[in-house]
Amino acid sequence: MMSEGSSFLKGMILGGIFCLVMSFFVTFNSGTQSDAHEHLHHHLKPVSKDELQKLSQDQKADYALMVRVYCLIMVTPKLLVHWAVANDTWSKHCDKPVFYTSESSKALEAIDLQEQDEWARLRKAIKHAYGNAGDLRWFFVARPTTFAIIENLKYLVLDKDPSQPFYIGHTEKSGELEYVEYDSGIVLSYEAMRRLVEIFKDEDKCPERGRALWKMPEEKQLATCLKYSAVFAENGEDAQGKGLFNKKSVSSLISDSMSQNPSDVVEACCSDMAITFAGMSQSQIQVLMYGVYRLRPYGHDFHDSLTFLPPKDSDND
Amino acid sequence: MASESNSAAGNQLSVSAKKSLFGESLHTELEMKALGARSAFYVGFLVGTCSLYLFLRQVGLSQSFVSRETEVHQKSLLDMIEEENKNWKKDRLALFNLNHPHHTGEDGKLADSLYKRVRILCWVMTGPDNLEKKARHVKATWSRHCNIVVFISSVDNPDFPTVGLNTKEGRDQLYWKTIRAFHYVMEKHGDEADWFLKADDDTYVIIDNLRWLLANHSPDDPVYFGRRFKPYVKQGYMSGGAGYVLSKEALKRFVEGFRTKVCTHTSSVEDLAMGQCMEKVGVVAGDSRDNLQRETFHPFVPESHLTGTFPKTFWYWNYCYYPIVQGPQCCSDLAVSFHYVDASHMYLLEYYTYHLRAFGYKYRYEPPLPNKMKDLDDPDQPEPGDVEQEAEAQDEQSPELDVKL
C-alpha cells in the first residue's frame, strides 16, 4: 500500500515536470514559428498618395482602364431580398455585375447555372466569368449578403499587375491552409482566374465533388485549388494595417469598438477606405449608400488622383 | 517405527513444500506489488501531467485577460485625458475649441476658412442623469467641430463641464431651461460667437454643413434656422429635437424680448413657445433647405427619412412647412442634423460623415460656394485644364461625362 502510494506520488511529480518542460518547448517552438509565419503571411496595402501623385495623366488613364472589376454575385432564390438589394445598390458600381444563381427566378435576372452544390456552382461561375471577361482584369466574388464599395476595391488593386496571381480578402488560417473568407468577399486577378480554370481540370488536386465524408466549405476548397497553382491568400489592409474586408455589419463593428476602445471609438473601429461589410439589413444598406456616396462635411476635400463617375440610372448614390 | 520416520519425512516434506510455496507466494506477492506500484506510477504520471497542464492554461488565460483588461483600461483613460487637453480649453464651464479637427490626408482649407468666419456656439440640453449615457458621446463626436460648446444641465459640474441653470429636470422644464440657457450664453459668450445653436443630447449635428448654410447670411440679420414646422405659428417654428440656430441679432432680440416682457414663459412646449417669441420680436423663420430644396435639419434618424416608413396618419405629415419627400431625396448631401440618435448611432454617423468614403468618387451634387466665400480668391476651384483631362480618361469608362448636380 505504502509503496503504491509513493509510486503514485513519484509519478505525479514526474508528470508535472514533464508537462512544464513540454510547454516551454512548445511555446519556444511556436514563438519562433510564429515569427516565420509573419513573414509568410501576406499583407496587401493600397498604393500611397505620394506615389499616385507622381503619375502622369496618361498613366492615370491607363490605371483607370486596367482596374475595372467584374463582379460575380452568387445568389439563390432563398436570398431574393438580398439579391434585390445588391441589384439596387452596390452592384451598380461594378463595371460588369453578373448574378449567378442555383435556379432561375422570375423576379430577377441572373445566369442560371442549374447547380445546387455550392462548390460546383462557384466553379461554373468562375469558368463562365473568365470566358466572358472581355478586357476586364479584376474579379470580385461575393454573396448578396455582402456589401462592397467597389471604388475602394479599385483603390486597393490600383497599382497591382493583374497578369500576376492575386487572391485577396480577409484571410484566416485553418491548420496549414490560409484562405480568404467568403463572407467578406474574394478578389482575384486575371492570372489567378486563369490558373484556377486550369487546375479545375485536375480531378485529384481540385475535385468537383469532394471525396471526404464531410464537405469542406467552398472558401477552403478554393484556397486549396489555388494553393496547388502557387497562388496564396493575401490580407487586404489600409496604410495603418486595418482590415479592409469585414464580415460584420458597421453597427456591429461600432458596438465592439465602444466596448474595447471607448476613448477612440471611430478611429479604432474601421478603415476609412473599407471595402466590404456583411450581414446588414436592407434599410441599413440604404443608410450606408447615403453615408458613403452622399453624406459629407462641406469644405473637406481629398483630391484623389483618379476619378470614378457615379453609375447611370441610380438615385441612392 | 517406520511410520514415525514416515510422518517425520512427511512433516519435513510439508515444511519444505510450505517453504517453497511460501517463497512462491511471496514472489508473486512481490510481483503483484511491483505491478501495482508501476501502474500507480503511470497513473500518477498521467494525473500530474493533466492537472498541471490545466493549471497552466488557467493561469495563462486569466493572466493575459487581466493584463489586457487593465492595459486597455489604463490606456483608454490616459488617451482620453491627453486627447481632451490637446483639443479643448476648459474655461468658465465651457469648452473652447483649440484645433479644428482634421483628417489624415485631407485638404481642409475651405472648412478652416469657414471655421474662422462663421463662429458657432453649440449649447447642448442635457441633465445630470444623461451625462454618461448621452452627453459624453456628444462630447466625443460632433461637438468637437463647434467653436465653443456649453452643456446645459440643472447642476453645475466643473469636470464635464456642465452649467447648472437653477431649474429642475423634466419635460415641463424645457422652456425654462431654454430661456435661461440663451440668456446665459448671451451674457457669458455673446461676443465670442456669431451664431448660437441649440441641440439635444440625442441630436447629431454636422457643424461644417451648418457653416456652409449660415455663410449665406449675416449674423446681424434677425433670422433663425431649423426644421420648419407650420402649425400654431404664422411664419412657422423650428423643431426642437432637430436643433435650431439663432443669429446674434436674433439672440439679442430674444433676450430683449424677455426684458421688455414681450416674450414670457407661455408654455413648456419649448420649440413652439420659442417660435411664438421669435415671431413677436420680428425674427424671421428661415428656409434651411439646400439649393435643390432638400431638407438639411431632420427630426428623425437617417434610416427613417431614407427608407420612408411613416404611416399616413403620422403627425409629421401635417407639421412640415415644406413638402415632405421620402426616399433618397428626403435629405441633402450636406445634411445638418438628425434626432433620436443614441450613443452607438452617434459614432456610426461620425464614421459615415467624417471617415468612410469611396475613393475618387465624383459626387452627383456639387454644392454652390456660399456668399461669404465668394469675395475671396478661392485656390480650391479646379482649373479648366484638369477637368478636361479627367474627362478624357473617363471616356473609356463611360461614354458621356455625366456631371449631374
Side-chain angles (χ1 to χ4, degrees):
Chain A
M1 229 19 239
M2 272 296 287
S3 66
E4 279 177 356
S6 63
S7 313
F8 182 79
L9 275 169
K10 268 187 251 173
M12 242 185 82
I13 294 167
L14 267 176
I17 296 170
F18 172 74
C19 183
L20 276 167
V21 168
M22 281 304 286
S23 65
F24 282 135
F25 185 66
V26 165
T27 49
F28 181 72
N29 239 16
S30 68
T32 51
Q33 233 174 47
S34 64
D35 284 348
H37 265 264
E38 283 304 317
H39 296 300
L40 286 176
H41 188 83
H42 298 271
H43 302 267
L44 198 88
K45 296 190 185 192
V47 59
S48 73
K49 192 165 178 161
D50 301 321
E51 285 297 316
L52 268 182
Q53 281 172 341
K54 289 186 202 149
L55 297 173
S56 70
Q57 285 299 115
D58 283 335
Q59 281 174 314
K60 286 186 199 172
D62 287 338
Y63 273 16
L65 266 180
M66 200 168 65
V67 89
R68 288 174 302 153
V69 179
Y70 185 121
C71 296
L72 294 81
I73 307 160
M74 310 297 296
V75 299
T76 58
K78 228 180 6 169
L79 297 173
L80 194 65
V81 175
H82 299 277
W83 179 350
V85 172
N87 195 32
D88 187 45
T89 59
W90 64 268
S91 67
K92 290 186 190 170
H93 293 253
C94 301
D95 295 276
K96 192 173 172 131
V98 182
F99 292 84
Y100 294 96
T101 180
S102 55
E103 48 186 284
S104 64
S105 163
K106 285 201 200 84
L108 286 162
E109 243 182 70
I111 294 187
D112 185 5
L113 298 172
Q114 290 163 341
E115 178 65 68
Q116 286 300 324
D117 179 62
E118 296 205 35
W119 172 232
R121 200 161 64 232
L122 184 59
R123 290 168 63 113
K124 280 190 181 173
I126 287 173
K127 275 188 267 195
H128 180 270
Y130 179 71
N132 269 288
D135 53 355
L136 296 176
R137 290 290 168 268
W138 288 97
F139 300 82
F140 177 61
V141 186
R143 293 190 172 121
T145 44
T146 307
F147 179 93
I149 304 168
I150 299 293
E151 289 80 6
N152 291 346
L153 197 167
K154 292 186 179 185
Y155 176 54
L156 179 65
V157 300
L158 200 53
D159 64 335
K160 284 33 171 202
D161 181 4
S163 63
Q164 293 294 312
F166 283 100
Y167 167 44
I168 313 164
H170 174 78
T171 53
E172 284 291 336
K173 218 163 144 55
S174 168
E176 278 304 312
L177 183 70
E178 198 154 5
Y179 64 96
V180 168
E181 266 184 349
Y182 203 160
D183 281 330
S184 43
I186 306 171
V187 179
L188 293 160
S189 69
Y190 189 74
E191 176 61 17
M193 294 285 280
R194 190 194 68 76
R195 293 192 192 187
L196 257 183
V197 171
E198 252 325 287
I199 204 153
F200 281 163
K201 299 175 186 160
D202 188 334
E203 266 298 310
D204 284 317
K205 294 201 181 117
C206 192
E208 188 162 346
R209 317 278 163 178
R211 263 173 269 112
L213 280 169
W214 60 92
K215 265 178 55 175
M216 200 162 58
E218 313 81 82
E219 52 198 4
K220 290 188 189 167
Q221 299 222 40
L222 186 69
T224 312
C225 294
L226 281 165
K227 201 169 167 183
Y228 279 124
S229 326
V231 182
F232 301 101
E234 294 186 87
N235 196 48
E237 306 170 346
D238 66 10
Q240 286 81 42
K242 279 189 235 169
L244 294 169
F245 296 85
N246 302 288
K247 63 171 178 188
K248 286 183 168 183
S249 67
V250 183
S251 44
S252 177
L253 290 164
I254 297 265
S255 304
D256 290 346
S257 194
M258 279 174 80
S259 46
Q260 284 162 17
N261 304 280
S263 67
D264 218 358
V265 177
V266 180
E267 275 298 328
C269 155
C270 329
S271 175
D272 288 10
M273 313 306 294
I275 298 175
T276 57
F277 299 102
M280 293 176 72
S281 73
Q282 186 173 9
S283 50
Q284 283 176 327
I285 286 183
Q286 290 295 350
V287 180
L288 180 51
M289 286 293 284
Y290 175 68
V292 175
Y293 292 111
R294 293 178 54 204
L295 183 65
R296 60 202 184 271
Y298 182 77
H300 299 260
D301 291 305
F302 285 91
H303 306 304
D304 294 323
S305 300
L306 257 79
T307 303
F308 299 117
L309 290 182
K312 292 206 236 324
D313 309 321
S314 182
D315 71 341
N316 52 17
D317 52 21
Chain B
M1 234 145 332
S3 59
E4 266 184 27
S5 62
N6 262 357
S7 62
N11 269 355
Q12 254 194 342
L13 243 174
S14 65
V15 166
S16 69
K18 263 192 203 160
K19 256 199 180 146
S20 68
L21 264 174
F22 180 71
E24 257 182 46
S25 71
L26 187 65
H27 189 66
T28 51
E29 210 183 290
L30 278 171
E31 254 187 42
M32 278 192 67
K33 255 201 174 161
L35 193 68
R38 228 182 297 154
S39 47
F41 180 79
Y42 290 142
V43 171
F45 188 81
L46 248 127
V47 168
T49 321
C50 293
S51 53
L52 200 72
Y53 173 71
L54 285 168
F55 176 70
L56 280 175
R57 267 191 73 163
Q58 210 40 20
V59 166
L61 264 172
S62 59
Q63 225 176 40
S64 66
F65 186 70
V66 164
S67 65
R68 224 172 66 88
E69 267 224 340
T70 49
E71 204 184 286
V72 168
H73 188 68
Q74 270 170 1
K75 204 174 130 186
S76 63
L77 271 174
L78 283 170
D79 279 345
M80 274 162 113
I81 298 166
E82 198 189 303
E83 191 72 23
E84 280 185 30
N85 289 340
K86 231 184 339 175
N87 298 317
W88 294 98
K89 187 182 77 175
K90 224 186 280 183
D91 189 25
R92 295 170 276 146
L93 292 177
L95 289 168
F96 287 78
N97 198 333
L98 298 172
N99 294 311
H100 189 212
H102 268 278
H103 210 61
T104 38
E106 79 169 20
D107 167 15
K109 283 202 291 282
L110 192 52
D112 282 345
S113 192
L114 276 170
Y115 175 81
K116 291 193 201 100
R117 262 165 248 281
V118 185
R119 300 173 303 166
I120 301 180
L121 180 148
C122 307
W123 73 261
V124 181
M125 176 101 84
T126 185
D129 293 336
N130 281 337
L131 291 189
E132 278 307 301
K133 271 191 293 182
K134 296 184 179 186
R136 177 166 71 96
H137 306 292
V138 169
K139 197 164 94 155
T141 57
W142 64 262
S143 66
R144 296 177 309 132
H145 301 266
C146 306
N147 298 72
I148 307 172
V149 183
V150 181
F151 288 92
I152 299 287
S153 174
S154 50
V155 176
D156 269 1
N157 180 327
D159 292 316
F160 194 87
T162 67
V163 172
L165 285 180
N166 223 1
T167 61
K168 297 186 278 271
E169 287 295 322
R171 272 194 84 78
D172 59 330
Q173 296 294 308
L174 285 178
Y175 195 39
W176 277 121
K177 261 177 148 174
T178 306
I179 295 166
R180 297 221 166 99
F182 274 120
H183 278 78
Y184 175 86
V185 300
M186 180 71 205
E187 190 191 317
K188 305 280 184 187
H189 306 286
D191 295 326
E192 290 163 325
D194 306 308
W195 298 85
F196 302 83
L197 169 81
K198 175 261 173 184
D200 287 343
D201 52 18
D202 60 350
T203 310
Y204 184 85
V205 186
I206 303 167
I207 300 291
D208 293 275
N209 293 343
L210 183 57
R211 288 201 181 94
W212 171 75
L213 182 73
L214 297 176
N216 283 310
H217 303 271
S218 164
D220 299 322
D221 292 338
V223 66
Y224 78 127
F225 294 97
R227 170 58 85 110
R228 206 164 165 188
F229 282 165
K230 65 182 176 205
Y232 311 119
V233 182
K234 193 155 162 279
Q235 68 163 0
Y237 68 96
M238 304 307 174
S239 152
Y244 51 81
V245 58
L246 272 62
S247 68
K248 187 164 358 214
E249 180 59 28
L251 178 59
K252 279 189 187 150
R253 292 195 188 190
F254 180 75
V255 170
E256 183 66 13
F258 273 86
R259 194 188 66 81
T260 59
K261 306 261 194 297
V262 168
C263 292
T264 54
H265 183 276
T266 47
S267 87
S268 63
V269 183
E270 163 246 334
D271 44 13
L272 175 53
M274 189 75 196
Q276 287 168 332
C277 174
M278 289 282 102
E279 193 168 65
K280 281 197 200 129
V281 300
V283 173
V284 174
D287 179 359
S288 57
R289 297 176 300 168
D290 69 16
N291 64 313
L292 295 184
Q293 279 79 55
R294 295 182 303 193
E295 296 275 11
T296 53
F297 289 78
H298 302 285
F300 302 106
V301 289
E303 205 166 306
S304 305
H305 292 283
L306 288 166
T307 58
T309 49
F310 303 123
K312 288 291 175 188
T313 52
F314 194 42
W315 59 264
Y316 185 60
W317 291 98
N318 295 320
Y319 267 57
C320 284
Y321 193 91
Y322 302 109
I324 293 178
V325 180
Q326 290 187 316
Q329 298 309 311
C330 66
C331 318
S332 175
D333 287 19
L334 300 189
V336 171
S337 72
F338 295 100
H339 186 217
Y340 297 118
V341 179
D342 66 10
S344 62
H345 225 91
M346 292 247 170
Y347 296 110
L348 186 97
L349 284 172
E350 185 86 354
Y351 178 60
Y352 282 167
T353 310
Y354 289 97
H355 295 257
L356 183 64
R357 67 189 190 90
F359 178 79
Y361 187 68
K362 189 164 172 59
Y363 296 112
R364 286 186 204 272
Y365 176 58
E366 293 289 340
L369 201 63
N371 294 333
K372 258 202 170 57
M373 305 306 294
K374 278 188 188 151
D375 43 2
L376 305 163
D377 199 29
D378 192 350
D380 295 319
Q381 291 283 18
E383 271 155 18
D386 285 357
V387 175
E388 269 171 51
Q389 279 168 325
E390 271 179 20
E392 266 167 33
Q394 292 315 304
D395 267 336
E396 307 284 353
Q397 274 205 340
S398 72
E400 47 175 319
L401 187 65
D402 201 23
V403 183
K404 280 198 247 173
L405 272 180

